Amino acid sequence: MKDTTTAAERSPSYYSASIDQDSDYPSVQGEVRVDVAIIGGGFTGVATAVELAERGFKVAVVEANRIGWGASGRNGGQVTGSLSGDAAMAKQMRKRLGGEVDDFIWNLRWRGHDIIEQRVRRYGIACDLKHGHLHAAMKPAHLDELRASHDEALRRGMEADVTLLDAGGVRAHLASDLYLGALKNTRNLHLHPLNLCLGEARAAHSLGALIFEHSPVLEIVHGATPTLVTAEGRVVANQVMLAGDVYHKLEPGKLKGMIFPAMGGIVTTAPLGELAAQINPQDLAVYDCRFVLDYYRLTADGRLLFGGGANYSGRDSRDIAAELRPGIERTFPSLKGVPIEFQWSCAMGIVMNRIPQLGKLSPNVWYCQGYSGHGIATSHVMGEIMAEAMGGELARFETFAGCSHIKVPMGDVFGNPMLALGMWYYQLLEKLR
């Protein structure tokens, strides 16, 4: 069951095996002219395309493989209000926003939820969208963090959305003795990410956007009307947006050494039947409080989808199922020996300071990347921000573009070893706290 994805195939995942309606868009042929050309058919590119098309722009999305081929169609499917770089954001953005920075970041946490829910309703996207999430504590220090999060949520008016659970409360939600407590959040979501991405692409297309697949961009030609060069055609635009995250090698002069791949492994079991409701009766998504965490949820057909153990070397695991099975059985002893039917990897774009990277490569060529494992919600907020910026509303874009980022010299050589060393340090801290 090793992931043998080629340039045109989808990963052999549960998601690709349960697509509601797959994509079948043409490749770029000849010359195409649009207002905005977007490189990358994942959440960032597709969400931005919907935003721009709704505003009346003529848009083209140019994808090297297929819509949702990368991390957007392979992730854990959890839409939560977590931001791994929130502390760094607050420190850097305070210079620009002053006392409003905390409200800015708080609203950022939840804006993606609203965009996704509204879009699913507006365009009738079938993506198994459900509410409910547990952030679970495995040691007393984790409980302190959850209490602080709970207090902040109450202060922000989320009384109806959050509940702090003790160990007994967790056992009423999960057939597991692993946790000391949890923060239950019914505002958080979980869903089938590939079906969401494909549905949003259909929505953009219905609004007049052009979608191209199997069209790797070979070069961005900068100028008054920047041009995307592919093997069989050209896309000429007034503005270009690069939204390929870690899956491209374009513009190395400015972008190399800024973002690095971390490989996450995910598996799904065979359908569990009645056992699914026994281990997770409220059908909640879950992740724990560790730096290197496990995350899981039930699929629409009653499988356990389980991920964890991010690999910061940038290389795929040889046997994801063997690596994750002990975590499954430790969490749910009743699943000992359960068959695992799908396993696949997910390359996440990791930024050293965890702040999403928004900027310009030239006056009319933009880029947006780097969500460090929190991409579903964040990519939709960034899509809104990028569409605003290309329409002339620059305030939120400039708040992110003004942040400083670490650029690692010889990034391909040193970037992932630095990430691995940093994660080793955080794992050591985890043992001590």
Side-chain angles (χ1 to χ4, degrees):
M1 291 186 292
K2 182 177 174 60
D3 186 340
T4 55
T5 305
T6 68
E9 298 171 339
R10 294 196 182 279
S11 77
S13 70
Y14 165 77
Y15 296 132
S16 59
S18 56
I19 289 173
D20 179 58
Q21 181 182 337
D22 205 351
S23 57
D24 186 23
Y25 297 104
S27 61
V28 176
Q29 302 287 327
E31 184 170 288
V32 178
R33 290 184 173 267
V34 292
D35 297 323
V36 180
I38 299 172
I39 304 170
F43 277 133
T44 301
V46 170
T48 305
V50 174
E51 296 281 353
L52 288 167
E54 288 178 340
R55 290 165 165 81
F57 286 80
K58 185 176 181 181
V59 185
V61 176
V62 184
E63 164 59 36
N65 299 291
R66 302 182 75 178
I67 296 298
W69 179 88
S72 297
R74 307 190 197 192
N75 60 72
Q78 299 195 23
V79 185
T80 70
S82 299
L83 295 169
S84 61
D86 52 357
M89 286 184 209
K91 183 177 180 180
Q92 291 208 39
M93 293 177 180
R94 196 172 300 278
K95 300 172 185 177
R96 178 181 180 87
L97 300 178
E100 297 178 2
V101 68
D102 293 331
D103 290 342
F104 179 86
I105 293 173
W106 180 261
N107 292 331
L108 186 72
R109 293 181 183 278
W110 308 107
R111 178 59 187 153
H113 299 57
D114 295 339
I115 293 170
I116 290 168
E117 290 196 272
Q118 291 165 9
R119 195 161 291 164
V120 166
R121 287 195 300 268
R122 182 179 301 141
Y123 298 105
I125 300 172
C127 60
D128 306 331
L129 178 63
K130 299 174 183 178
H131 285 260
H133 178 262
L134 292 181
H135 192 187
M138 299 181 70
K139 56 175 58 178
H142 296 164
L143 286 174
D144 294 339
E145 296 170 10
L146 295 183
R147 290 189 192 100
S149 297
H150 180 252
D151 292 345
E152 174 70 358
L154 294 183
R155 190 175 72 81
R156 296 280 185 171
M158 289 182 62
E159 299 91 345
D161 301 308
V162 295
T163 307
L164 195 60
L165 305 175
D166 61 14
V170 177
R171 285 193 292 273
H173 292 77
L174 300 172
S176 177
D177 294 324
L178 195 60
Y179 307 115
L180 302 180
L183 182 62
K184 180 179 180 181
N185 186 318
T186 57
R187 189 170 180 179
N188 284 336
L189 312 170
H190 53 103
L191 48 76
H192 189 303
L194 181 53
N195 277 338
L196 174 61
C197 193
L198 290 166
E200 290 185 285
R202 290 193 299 272
H205 191 255
S206 74
L207 296 169
L210 304 175
I211 311 288
F212 298 103
E213 295 182 310
H214 309 302
S215 301
V217 172
L218 306 176
E219 181 186 5
I220 303 172
V221 180
H222 296 261
T225 52
T227 300
L228 309 184
V229 179
T230 71
E232 298 179 294
R234 299 159 57 87
V235 181
V236 182
N238 298 324
Q239 301 184 80
V240 163
M241 175 180 157
L242 178 51
D245 209 64
V246 293
Y247 289 96
H248 71 88
K249 297 296 183 183
L250 295 167
E251 301 294 327
K254 292 190 177 180
L255 296 182
K256 186 176 181 179
M258 291 183 64
I259 184 173
F260 305 95
M263 307 305 295
I266 303 177
V267 300
T268 48
T269 68
L272 300 177
E274 295 181 358
L275 193 55
Q278 294 174 22
I279 66 169
N280 189 351
Q282 295 192 24
D283 199 3
L284 302 171
V286 183
Y287 59 66
D288 64 65
C289 294
R290 294 174 297 171
F291 290 117
V292 181
L293 51 83
D294 290 335
Y295 53 91
Y296 54 89
R297 62 187 184 87
L298 295 174
T299 63
D301 58 352
R303 305 168 185 268
L304 179 70
L305 184 150
F306 192 98
N311 174 359
Y312 287 83
S313 71
R315 296 185 297 271
D316 275 320
S317 166
R318 286 177 290 184
D319 193 342
I320 297 166
E323 292 181 3
L324 294 184
R325 180 180 290 281
I328 293 173
E329 296 180 352
R330 181 174 61 250
T331 306
F332 296 113
S334 60
L335 297 186
K336 186 173 179 61
V338 66
I340 292 175
E341 292 195 350
F342 297 94
Q343 63 172 312
W344 68 95
S345 63
C346 171
M348 300 169 283
I350 305 296
V351 176
M352 288 295 182
N353 64 9
R354 301 302 198 266
I355 303 175
Q357 296 172 343
L358 281 62
K360 283 188 171 186
L361 299 165
S362 59
N364 48 9
V365 178
W366 315 68
Y367 66 90
C368 179
Q369 63 183 21
Y371 311 129
S372 303
H374 297 271
I376 303 181
T378 309
S379 62
H380 285 78
V381 185
M382 296 304 130
E384 184 178 63
I385 292 173
M386 296 304 295
E388 288 174 354
M390 285 183 276
E393 303 173 46
L394 292 167
R396 290 201 292 171
F397 168 81
E398 289 178 345
T399 297
F400 278 93
C403 292
S404 299
H405 292 278
I406 300 168
K407 188 169 184 179
V408 180
M410 297 180 67
D412 291 346
V413 176
F414 295 120
N416 279 102
M418 286 180 64
L419 282 178
L421 180 62
M423 191 48 58
W424 174 84
Y425 169 75
Y426 282 116
Q427 287 177 297
L428 178 62
L429 289 183
E430 182 70 58
K431 293 179 181 178
L432 298 176
R433 65 173 179 158

